[in-house]
Coordinates of all heavy atoms in Angstrom, one line a residue:
M62 N -107.3 -132.0 -0.7 CA -108.4 -131.9 -1.7 C -107.8 -131.5 -3.0 O -106.8 -130.7 -3.1 CB -109.4 -130.8 -1.2 CG -110.6 -130.7 -2.1 SD -111.8 -129.5 -1.6 CE -112.7 -130.6 -0.5
K63 N -108.4 -132.0 -4.1 CA -108.0 -131.7 -5.4 C -109.1 -131.0 -6.2 O -110.2 -131.0 -5.8 CB -107.7 -133.0 -6.2 CG -106.5 -133.8 -5.6 CD -106.2 -135.0 -6.3 CE -105.1 -135.8 -5.7 NZ -104.8 -137.0 -6.4
I64 N -108.7 -130.3 -7.3 CA -109.6 -129.5 -8.1 C -110.8 -130.3 -8.5 O -111.9 -129.8 -8.4 CB -108.9 -128.9 -9.3 CG1 -107.8 -127.9 -8.9 CG2 -109.9 -128.3 -10.3 CD1 -107.0 -127.3 -10.0
D65 N -110.6 -131.5 -8.9 CA -111.8 -132.3 -9.4 C -112.7 -132.8 -8.3 O -113.7 -133.4 -8.5 CB -111.3 -133.5 -10.3 CG -110.4 -134.5 -9.5 OD1 -110.1 -134.2 -8.4 OD2 -110.0 -135.5 -10.1
E66 N -112.4 -132.5 -7.0 CA -113.2 -132.9 -5.9 C -114.1 -131.7 -5.5 O -115.0 -131.8 -4.6 CB -112.4 -133.3 -4.7 CG -111.6 -134.6 -4.9 CD -110.6 -134.9 -3.8 OE1 -110.4 -134.0 -2.9 OE2 -110.1 -136.0 -3.8
L67 N -114.0 -130.5 -6.1 CA -114.8 -129.3 -5.8 C -116.2 -129.5 -6.4 O -116.3 -130.1 -7.5 CB -114.1 -128.1 -6.4 CG -112.8 -127.6 -5.8 CD1 -112.2 -126.5 -6.5 CD2 -113.0 -127.3 -4.3
N68 N -117.2 -129.0 -5.8 CA -118.5 -129.0 -6.2 C -119.1 -127.6 -6.2 O -118.8 -126.8 -5.3 CB -119.4 -129.9 -5.4 CG -119.0 -131.4 -5.5 OD1 -118.9 -131.9 -6.6 ND2 -118.7 -132.0 -4.4
I69 N -120.1 -127.3 -7.0 CA -120.8 -126.0 -7.0 C -121.5 -125.8 -5.7 O -122.1 -126.8 -5.2 CB -121.8 -125.9 -8.2 CG1 -121.1 -126.0 -9.5 CG2 -122.7 -124.7 -8.0 CD1 -122.0 -126.1 -10.7
G70 N -121.3 -124.7 -5.1 CA -121.9 -124.3 -3.8 C -121.1 -124.8 -2.6 O -121.5 -124.5 -1.5
M71 N -120.0 -125.4 -2.8 CA -119.1 -125.9 -1.7 C -118.5 -124.7 -1.0 O -118.0 -123.8 -1.7 CB -118.1 -126.9 -2.2 CG -117.1 -127.4 -1.2 SD -115.9 -128.5 -2.0 CE -116.9 -130.0 -2.2
D72 N -118.4 -124.7 0.3 CA -117.7 -123.7 1.0 C -116.3 -124.2 1.4 O -116.2 -125.3 1.9 CB -118.4 -123.3 2.3 CG -119.7 -122.6 2.1 OD1 -119.8 -121.8 1.1 OD2 -120.6 -122.7 2.9
I73 N -115.3 -123.4 1.0 CA -113.9 -123.8 1.4 C -113.2 -122.5 1.9 O -113.6 -121.4 1.6 CB -113.1 -124.4 0.3 CG1 -113.0 -123.4 -0.9 CG2 -113.6 -125.7 -0.2 CD1 -112.1 -123.9 -2.0
D74 N -112.3 -122.7 2.8 CA -111.6 -121.5 3.3 C -110.4 -121.1 2.4 O -110.1 -121.8 1.5 CB -111.1 -121.7 4.8 CG -110.1 -122.9 4.9 OD1 -109.5 -123.2 3.9 OD2 -110.0 -123.4 6.0
N75 N -109.9 -119.9 2.7 CA -108.8 -119.4 1.8 C -107.6 -120.2 1.8 O -107.0 -120.4 0.7 CB -108.5 -117.9 2.3 CG -107.6 -117.2 1.3 OD1 -108.0 -117.1 0.1 ND2 -106.5 -116.6 1.8
K76 N -107.2 -120.8 2.9 CA -106.0 -121.7 2.9 C -106.2 -122.9 2.0 O -105.3 -123.3 1.2 CB -105.8 -122.2 4.4 CG -104.6 -123.1 4.5 CD -104.4 -123.4 6.0 CE -103.1 -124.2 6.2 NZ -103.3 -125.7 6.1
T77 N -107.4 -123.5 2.1 CA -107.7 -124.7 1.2 C -107.7 -124.3 -0.3 O -107.2 -125.0 -1.1 CB -109.0 -125.3 1.6 OG1 -109.0 -125.7 3.0 CG2 -109.3 -126.5 0.8
L78 N -108.3 -123.1 -0.6 CA -108.4 -122.6 -1.9 C -107.0 -122.5 -2.5 O -106.7 -122.9 -3.6 CB -109.1 -121.3 -2.0 CG -109.2 -120.6 -3.3 CD1 -110.4 -121.1 -4.1 CD2 -109.3 -119.1 -3.2
C79 N -106.1 -121.9 -1.7 CA -104.7 -121.7 -2.1 C -103.9 -123.0 -2.3 O -103.1 -123.1 -3.2 CB -104.0 -120.8 -1.1 SG -104.6 -119.1 -1.0
E80 N -104.2 -124.0 -1.5 CA -103.6 -125.3 -1.6 C -104.1 -126.0 -2.9 O -103.3 -126.6 -3.6 CB -103.9 -126.1 -0.4 CG -103.1 -125.6 0.9 CD -103.6 -126.4 2.1 OE1 -104.6 -127.2 2.1 OE2 -103.0 -126.1 3.2
I81 N -105.3 -125.9 -3.2 CA -105.9 -126.6 -4.3 C -105.4 -126.0 -5.6 O -104.9 -126.7 -6.5 CB -107.5 -126.5 -4.3 CG1 -108.0 -127.3 -3.2 CG2 -108.0 -127.0 -5.6 CD1 -109.5 -127.1 -2.9
F82 N -105.4 -124.6 -5.7 CA -105.1 -124.0 -7.0 C -103.6 -123.5 -7.0 O -103.2 -123.0 -8.0 CB -106.0 -122.8 -7.2 CG -107.4 -123.2 -7.6 CD1 -108.4 -123.3 -6.7 CD2 -107.7 -123.6 -8.9 CE1 -109.7 -123.7 -7.0 CE2 -108.9 -124.0 -9.3 CZ -109.9 -124.1 -8.3
Q83 N -102.9 -123.7 -5.9 CA -101.5 -123.2 -5.8 C -101.4 -121.8 -6.2 O -100.6 -121.4 -7.1 CB -100.6 -124.1 -6.6 CG -100.7 -125.6 -6.1 CD -99.8 -126.5 -6.9 OE1 -98.7 -126.1 -7.4 NE2 -100.3 -127.7 -7.1
C84 N -102.2 -120.9 -5.6 CA -102.3 -119.5 -5.9 C -102.0 -118.7 -4.7 O -101.9 -119.2 -3.6 CB -103.6 -119.1 -6.5 SG -105.0 -119.3 -5.4
S85 N -101.9 -117.4 -4.9 CA -101.6 -116.4 -3.9 C -102.8 -116.4 -2.9 O -104.0 -116.6 -3.3 CB -101.4 -115.0 -4.5 OG -101.5 -114.0 -3.5
P86 N -102.6 -116.1 -1.6 CA -103.7 -116.0 -0.7 C -104.4 -114.6 -0.7 O -105.3 -114.4 0.1 CB -103.0 -116.2 0.7 CG -101.6 -115.7 0.5 CD -101.3 -116.0 -1.0
Q87 N -103.9 -113.7 -1.5 CA -104.5 -112.3 -1.5 C -104.9 -111.9 -2.9 O -104.3 -112.4 -3.9 CB -103.5 -111.3 -1.0 CG -103.1 -111.6 0.4 CD -102.1 -110.6 0.9 OE1 -101.3 -110.1 0.1 NE2 -102.0 -110.4 2.2
G88 N -105.9 -111.0 -3.0 CA -106.3 -110.4 -4.3 C -107.6 -111.1 -4.8 O -107.9 -112.2 -4.4
G89 N -108.2 -110.3 -5.7 CA -109.5 -110.8 -6.2 C -109.3 -111.6 -7.5 O -110.1 -112.4 -7.8
M90 N -108.2 -111.4 -8.2 CA -107.8 -112.2 -9.3 C -106.5 -112.9 -9.1 O -105.5 -112.3 -8.9 CB -107.7 -111.4 -10.6 CG -109.0 -110.7 -10.9 SD -108.9 -109.6 -12.4 CE -109.0 -110.8 -13.7
R91 N -106.5 -114.2 -8.9 CA -105.3 -115.0 -8.6 C -104.9 -116.0 -9.7 O -105.6 -117.0 -9.8 CB -105.6 -115.7 -7.3 CG -106.0 -114.8 -6.1 CD -106.4 -115.7 -4.9 NE -107.0 -114.8 -3.9 CZ -107.3 -115.3 -2.7 NH1 -107.1 -116.6 -2.4 NH2 -107.9 -114.5 -1.8
R92 N -103.9 -115.6 -10.4 CA -103.5 -116.5 -11.5 C -102.5 -117.5 -11.0 O -101.6 -117.2 -10.2 CB -102.8 -115.7 -12.6 CG -102.4 -116.5 -13.8 CD -101.9 -115.7 -14.9 NE -101.4 -116.5 -16.0 CZ -100.6 -116.2 -16.9 NH1 -100.1 -114.9 -16.9 NH2 -100.3 -117.0 -17.9
S93 N -102.7 -118.8 -11.4 CA -101.7 -119.8 -11.0 C -101.2 -120.4 -12.3 O -101.9 -121.1 -13.1 CB -102.4 -120.9 -10.2 OG -101.6 -122.0 -10.0
L94 N -99.9 -120.3 -12.5 CA -99.2 -120.9 -13.6 C -99.1 -122.4 -13.3 O -99.1 -123.2 -14.3 CB -97.8 -120.3 -13.8 CG -97.8 -118.8 -14.2 CD1 -96.4 -118.3 -14.2 CD2 -98.5 -118.6 -15.5
K95 N -99.0 -122.8 -12.1 CA -98.8 -124.3 -11.8 C -100.0 -125.1 -12.1 O -99.9 -126.2 -12.5 CB -98.5 -124.4 -10.3 CG -97.1 -123.9 -9.9 CD -96.9 -124.0 -8.4 CE -95.5 -123.4 -8.1 NZ -95.2 -123.5 -6.6
T96 N -101.2 -124.5 -11.9 CA -102.5 -125.2 -12.3 C -103.2 -124.7 -13.5 O -104.2 -125.1 -13.9 CB -103.5 -125.2 -11.1 OG1 -103.8 -123.9 -10.8 CG2 -102.9 -125.9 -9.9
N97 N -102.5 -123.7 -14.2 CA -103.1 -123.1 -15.4 C -104.5 -122.6 -15.2 O -105.4 -123.0 -15.9 CB -103.0 -124.0 -16.6 CG -103.3 -123.3 -17.9 OD1 -103.0 -122.1 -18.0 ND2 -103.8 -124.0 -18.9
S98 N -104.7 -121.8 -14.1 CA -106.0 -121.4 -13.7 C -106.0 -119.9 -13.3 O -105.0 -119.4 -13.0 CB -106.6 -122.3 -12.6 OG -105.7 -122.2 -11.5
L99 N -107.2 -119.3 -13.3 CA -107.4 -118.0 -12.8 C -108.5 -118.1 -11.8 O -109.7 -118.5 -12.2 CB -107.8 -117.0 -14.0 CG -108.1 -115.6 -13.5 CD1 -106.9 -114.9 -12.9 CD2 -108.7 -114.8 -14.7
V100 N -108.2 -117.8 -10.6 CA -109.2 -117.9 -9.5 C -109.8 -116.5 -9.3 O -109.0 -115.6 -9.1 CB -108.6 -118.4 -8.2 CG1 -109.6 -118.5 -7.1 CG2 -108.0 -119.8 -8.4
L101 N -111.1 -116.4 -9.4 CA -111.8 -115.1 -9.1 C -112.5 -115.1 -7.8 O -113.2 -116.0 -7.5 CB -112.8 -114.8 -10.2 CG -112.3 -114.8 -11.7 CD1 -113.5 -114.6 -12.6 CD2 -111.3 -113.7 -11.9
I102 N -112.2 -114.1 -7.0 CA -112.8 -114.0 -5.7 C -113.8 -112.9 -5.7 O -113.6 -111.8 -6.1 CB -111.7 -113.6 -4.6 CG1 -110.5 -114.6 -4.6 CG2 -112.3 -113.5 -3.2 CD1 -110.9 -116.0 -4.3
S103 N -115.0 -113.2 -5.3 CA -116.1 -112.2 -5.3 C -116.8 -112.3 -3.9 O -117.1 -113.4 -3.4 CB -117.1 -112.6 -6.4 OG -118.2 -111.7 -6.4
N104 N -117.1 -111.2 -3.3 CA -117.8 -111.1 -2.0 C -119.1 -110.4 -2.2 O -119.2 -109.2 -2.3 CB -116.9 -110.3 -1.0 CG -117.4 -110.3 0.4 OD1 -118.6 -110.6 0.6 ND2 -116.6 -110.0 1.3
K105 N -120.2 -111.2 -2.2 CA -121.5 -110.6 -2.4 C -122.0 -109.9 -1.1 O -123.0 -109.2 -1.2 CB -122.5 -111.7 -2.8 CG -122.8 -112.8 -1.8 CD -123.7 -113.8 -2.4 CE -124.0 -114.9 -1.4 NZ -124.8 -115.9 -1.9
I106 N -121.4 -110.1 0.0 CA -121.9 -109.5 1.2 C -121.3 -108.1 1.4 O -122.0 -107.1 1.7 CB -121.4 -110.3 2.5 CG1 -121.8 -111.8 2.3 CG2 -121.9 -109.7 3.8 CD1 -123.2 -112.1 2.7
H107 N -120.0 -107.9 1.2 CA -119.3 -106.6 1.4 C -118.3 -106.4 0.3 O -117.2 -107.1 0.3 CB -118.7 -106.5 2.7 CG -117.9 -105.3 2.9 ND1 -118.5 -104.1 3.1 CD2 -116.5 -105.1 3.0 CE1 -117.5 -103.2 3.3 NE2 -116.3 -103.7 3.2
S108 N -118.6 -105.6 -0.7 CA -117.6 -105.4 -1.8 C -117.8 -104.0 -2.4 O -118.9 -103.4 -2.4 CB -117.8 -106.4 -2.9 OG -116.9 -106.2 -3.9
V109 N -116.7 -103.4 -2.9 CA -116.7 -102.2 -3.6 C -117.1 -102.4 -5.1 O -117.3 -101.4 -5.8 CB -115.4 -101.4 -3.4 CG1 -115.2 -101.0 -2.0 CG2 -114.3 -102.1 -4.0
Y110 N -117.0 -103.6 -5.5 CA -117.3 -104.0 -6.9 C -118.7 -104.5 -7.0 O -119.4 -104.9 -6.1 CB -116.3 -105.1 -7.4 CG -114.9 -104.6 -7.3 CD1 -114.0 -105.2 -6.4 CD2 -114.4 -103.7 -8.2 CE1 -112.7 -104.8 -6.3 CE2 -113.1 -103.3 -8.1 CZ -112.2 -103.8 -7.2 OH -110.9 -103.4 -7.1
N111 N -119.3 -104.4 -8.3 CA -120.6 -104.8 -8.6 C -120.6 -106.1 -9.3 O -121.2 -106.2 -10.4 CB -121.3 -103.7 -9.3 CG -121.5 -102.5 -8.5 OD1 -121.8 -102.5 -7.3 ND2 -121.3 -101.3 -9.1
D112 N -120.1 -107.2 -8.8 CA -120.1 -108.5 -9.4 C -121.6 -109.0 -9.4 O -122.2 -108.8 -8.4 CB -119.2 -109.5 -8.7 CG -117.8 -109.0 -8.6 OD1 -117.3 -108.2 -9.5 OD2 -117.1 -109.4 -7.7
L113 N -122.0 -109.7 -10.5 CA -123.3 -110.2 -10.4 C -123.5 -111.3 -11.5 O -122.7 -111.4 -12.4 CB -124.4 -109.1 -10.7 CG -124.3 -108.3 -12.0 CD1 -125.4 -108.8 -12.9 CD2 -124.4 -106.9 -11.7
W114 N -124.5 -112.1 -11.3 CA -124.9 -113.2 -12.2 C -126.0 -112.7 -13.1 O -127.0 -112.1 -12.6 CB -125.4 -114.4 -11.4 CG -124.3 -115.2 -10.8 CD1 -123.8 -115.1 -9.5 CD2 -123.5 -116.2 -11.5 NE1 -122.8 -116.0 -9.4 CE2 -122.6 -116.7 -10.5 CE3 -123.4 -116.7 -12.8 CZ2 -121.6 -117.6 -10.8 CZ3 -122.5 -117.7 -13.1 CH2 -121.6 -118.1 -12.1
K115 N -125.9 -112.9 -14.4 CA -127.0 -112.7 -15.3 C -127.3 -114.0 -16.0 O -126.5 -114.4 -16.9 CB -126.7 -111.6 -16.4 CG -126.8 -110.2 -15.9 CD -126.8 -109.2 -17.0 CE -127.1 -107.8 -16.5 NZ -127.1 -106.9 -17.5
G116 N -128.2 -114.7 -15.5 CA -128.5 -116.1 -16.0 C -127.3 -117.0 -15.6 O -126.9 -117.0 -14.4
D117 N -126.7 -117.6 -16.6 CA -125.5 -118.5 -16.3 C -124.2 -117.7 -16.5 O -123.1 -118.4 -16.5 CB -125.5 -119.7 -17.3 CG -126.6 -120.6 -17.0 OD1 -127.2 -120.6 -15.9 OD2 -127.0 -121.4 -17.9
I118 N -124.2 -116.4 -16.7 CA -123.0 -115.7 -17.0 C -122.7 -114.8 -15.7 O -123.5 -114.1 -15.2 CB -123.2 -114.7 -18.2 CG1 -123.4 -115.6 -19.5 CG2 -122.0 -113.8 -18.4 CD1 -123.8 -114.7 -20.7
F119 N -121.4 -114.9 -15.3 CA -121.0 -114.2 -14.1 C -120.2 -113.0 -14.6 O -119.3 -113.1 -15.3 CB -120.0 -115.1 -13.3 CG -119.6 -114.4 -12.0 CD1 -120.5 -113.9 -11.1 CD2 -118.2 -114.2 -11.7 CE1 -120.1 -113.3 -9.9 CE2 -117.8 -113.6 -10.6 CZ -118.8 -113.1 -9.6
L120 N -120.7 -111.8 -14.3 CA -120.1 -110.5 -14.6 C -119.2 -110.1 -13.5 O -119.7 -109.7 -12.4 CB -121.2 -109.5 -14.9 CG -122.2 -109.8 -16.1 CD1 -123.2 -108.8 -16.2 CD2 -121.4 -110.0 -17.4
Y121 N -117.9 -110.1 -13.7 CA -116.9 -109.9 -12.7 C -116.2 -108.6 -12.9 O -115.8 -108.3 -14.0 CB -115.9 -111.1 -12.6 CG -114.9 -110.9 -11.6 CD1 -115.1 -111.3 -10.3 CD2 -113.6 -110.4 -11.9 CE1 -114.2 -111.2 -9.3 CE2 -112.7 -110.3 -10.9 CZ -112.9 -110.7 -9.6 OH -112.0 -110.5 -8.6
T122 N -116.1 -107.8 -11.9 CA -115.3 -106.5 -12.0 C -114.0 -106.8 -11.3 O -113.9 -107.2 -10.2 CB -116.1 -105.4 -11.2 OG1 -117.4 -105.3 -11.7 CG2 -115.4 -104.1 -11.4
G123 N -112.9 -106.5 -12.1 CA -111.6 -106.9 -11.5 C -110.6 -105.7 -11.6 O -111.0 -104.5 -11.5
M124 N -109.4 -106.0 -11.8 CA -108.3 -105.1 -11.8 C -108.4 -104.1 -12.9 O -108.9 -104.3 -14.0 CB -107.0 -105.8 -11.9 CG -106.8 -106.9 -10.8 SD -105.5 -108.0 -11.4 CE -104.4 -107.9 -10.1
G125 N -107.7 -103.0 -12.7 CA -107.5 -102.0 -13.8 C -108.2 -100.7 -13.5 O -109.1 -100.6 -12.7
Q126 N -107.8 -99.7 -14.2 CA -108.3 -98.3 -13.9 C -109.4 -97.9 -14.9 O -110.3 -97.1 -14.6 CB -107.2 -97.3 -14.0 CG -106.1 -97.5 -12.9 CD -106.7 -97.4 -11.5 OE1 -107.4 -96.5 -11.2 NE2 -106.3 -98.3 -10.7
K127 N -109.3 -98.5 -16.2 CA -110.3 -98.1 -17.2 C -110.3 -99.1 -18.3 O -109.4 -99.9 -18.4 CB -110.0 -96.7 -17.7 CG -108.7 -96.6 -18.4 CD -108.4 -95.2 -18.9 CE -107.0 -95.1 -19.4 NZ -106.7 -93.7 -19.9
G128 N -111.4 -99.1 -19.1 CA -111.5 -100.1 -20.2 C -112.0 -101.4 -19.8 O -112.2 -101.8 -18.6
D129 N -112.3 -102.2 -20.8 CA -112.8 -103.6 -20.6 C -111.7 -104.5 -20.3 O -110.6 -104.3 -20.7 CB -113.5 -104.1 -21.9 CG -114.8 -103.3 -22.2 OD1 -115.4 -102.8 -21.2 OD2 -115.2 -103.3 -23.3
Q130 N -112.0 -105.5 -19.5 CA -111.0 -106.5 -19.2 C -111.0 -107.6 -20.3 O -111.9 -107.7 -21.1 CB -111.5 -107.3 -17.9 CG -111.5 -106.4 -16.7 CD -112.2 -107.1 -15.5 OE1 -113.0 -106.6 -14.8 NE2 -111.8 -108.4 -15.3
N131 N -109.8 -108.3 -20.3 CA -109.7 -109.4 -21.3 C -108.8 -110.4 -20.6 O -108.1 -110.1 -19.7 CB -109.2 -108.9 -22.7 CG -107.9 -108.3 -22.6 OD1 -106.9 -108.9 -22.1 ND2 -107.7 -107.1 -23.2
L132 N -108.8 -111.6 -21.2 CA -108.0 -112.7 -20.7 C -106.9 -113.0 -21.7 O -106.8 -114.1 -22.2 CB -108.8 -113.9 -20.4 CG -109.8 -113.7 -19.3 CD1 -110.7 -115.0 -19.1 CD2 -109.1 -113.5 -17.9
N133 N -106.0 -112.1 -22.0 CA -104.9 -112.3 -22.9 C -103.7 -112.7 -22.0 O -103.2 -111.9 -21.2 CB -104.6 -111.1 -23.7 CG -105.6 -110.8 -24.7 OD1 -106.3 -111.7 -25.2 ND2 -105.9 -109.5 -25.0
F134 N -103.2 -113.9 -22.2 CA -102.0 -114.3 -21.5 C -100.8 -114.3 -22.5 O -100.8 -115.0 -23.5 CB -102.2 -115.7 -20.9 CG -103.3 -115.8 -19.9 CD1 -104.5 -116.3 -20.2 CD2 -103.1 -115.2 -18.7 CE1 -105.5 -116.4 -19.3 CE2 -104.1 -115.3 -17.7 CZ -105.3 -115.8 -18.0
M135 N -99.8 -113.5 -22.2 CA -98.7 -113.4 -23.1 C -97.6 -114.4 -22.7 O -97.4 -114.8 -21.6 CB -98.2 -112.0 -23.0 CG -99.1 -111.0 -23.5 SD -98.4 -109.3 -23.4 CE -99.9 -108.4 -23.4

């Protein structure tokens, strides 16, 4: 399967996700230099984080101890 074959609401397993994005199989934030992507993993059933949707905006809680997150790639 390729990235452009993904659809909203589609269920895929972790192995397939890692093959598509060529990313690590672990962690909530998985950066892939090979596909120039950042895969965010959110578990709405069981999570210590409070990820949520506000309209069309997804509010994701990720790595770090304090402060706001940003997407600065050096």
Side-chain angles (χ1 to χ4, degrees):
M62 180 178 279
K63 296 181 181 180
I64 291 174
D65 61 356
E66 295 173 351
L67 293 172
N68 294 307
I69 295 172
M71 179 183 283
D72 289 330
I73 59 173
D74 60 24
N75 193 49
K76 181 177 184 269
T77 304
L78 179 84
C79 295
E80 289 170 356
I81 293 170
F82 289 97
Q83 299 179 37
C84 65
S85 167
Q87 297 177 333
M90 298 178 81
R91 305 175 186 183
R92 184 174 178 200
S93 173
L94 297 175
K95 293 179 182 177
T96 60
N97 192 30
S98 58
L99 176 64
V100 178
L101 301 177
I102 307 298
S103 180
N104 184 343
K105 65 181 180 182
I106 308 278
H107 175 72
S108 179
V109 297
Y110 300 110
N111 295 318
D112 304 332
L113 60 104
W114 284 96
K115 280 195 175 181
D117 292 341
I118 299 172
F119 184 59
L120 301 175
Y121 182 82
T122 305
M124 305 161 125
Q126 298 297 316
K127 59 184 175 180
D129 293 334
Q130 295 172 225
N131 63 53
L132 295 174
N133 291 327
F134 297 105
M135 295 179 205

